[in-house]
Amino acid sequence: EIGIINGTGDKTFSPEMFLTREQAAVILNRTLKFLNIENKQEPSVNYCDFDQVSEWAKNDVSEIYQFGIMIGNDEGQFNPQSRCTTEEMIVAVMRVYELIK
């Protein structure tokens, strides 16, 4: 109802699929916007694999990077199509919580 999760396209929701890292970034960034927490800087990113991020997710991935919520791995990769693990999501949600408390 509030537009944070919109499904996987073509009027499908796909509840049995794993959440990708780029999907998680979009959901987290939409959550921040819903809570009226916005980054005042121009979105930028420092992932060496940013060209692999889907077009629909690029702005959200950039903004989540600037917030420091999803920072990538030691090689500077975001791995946008990889499954977002439970542990990664816990850390990301904790970082979102730090911004809103």
Side-chain angles (χ1 to χ4, degrees):
E1 275 185 42
I2 59 177
I4 292 175
I5 299 176
N6 296 328
T8 56
D10 197 29
K11 299 181 183 180
T12 59
F13 186 67
S14 306
E16 301 298 320
M17 291 180 63
F18 288 113
L19 184 69
T20 65
R21 291 178 48 79
E22 69 182 3
Q23 289 170 329
V26 170
I27 291 168
L28 291 166
N29 200 42
R30 288 179 182 166
T31 300
L32 290 174
K33 288 180 180 182
F34 177 76
L35 297 170
N36 293 316
I37 299 171
E38 295 199 34
N39 192 341
K40 305 296 183 201
Q41 301 173 17
E42 187 68 28
S44 67
V45 70
N46 197 25
Y47 299 122
C48 63
D49 61 347
F50 189 68
D51 61 327
Q52 296 174 24
V53 176
S54 300
E55 283 300 316
W56 53 265
K58 284 190 177 203
N59 189 62
D60 294 296
V61 169
S62 294
E63 289 185 14
I64 284 300
Y65 172 80
Q66 284 189 282
F67 277 117
I69 293 172
M70 295 179 80
I71 56 174
N73 64 21
D74 292 339
E75 289 83 37
Q77 299 168 323
F78 182 70
N79 298 312
Q81 308 304 318
S82 297
R83 182 181 81 162
C84 186
T85 67
T86 302
E87 296 83 3
E88 288 171 327
M89 191 52 102
I90 289 170
V91 170
V93 169
M94 288 174 58
R95 290 175 178 158
V96 167
Y97 175 75
E98 290 297 317
L99 289 174
I100 62 174
K101 73 173 192 173

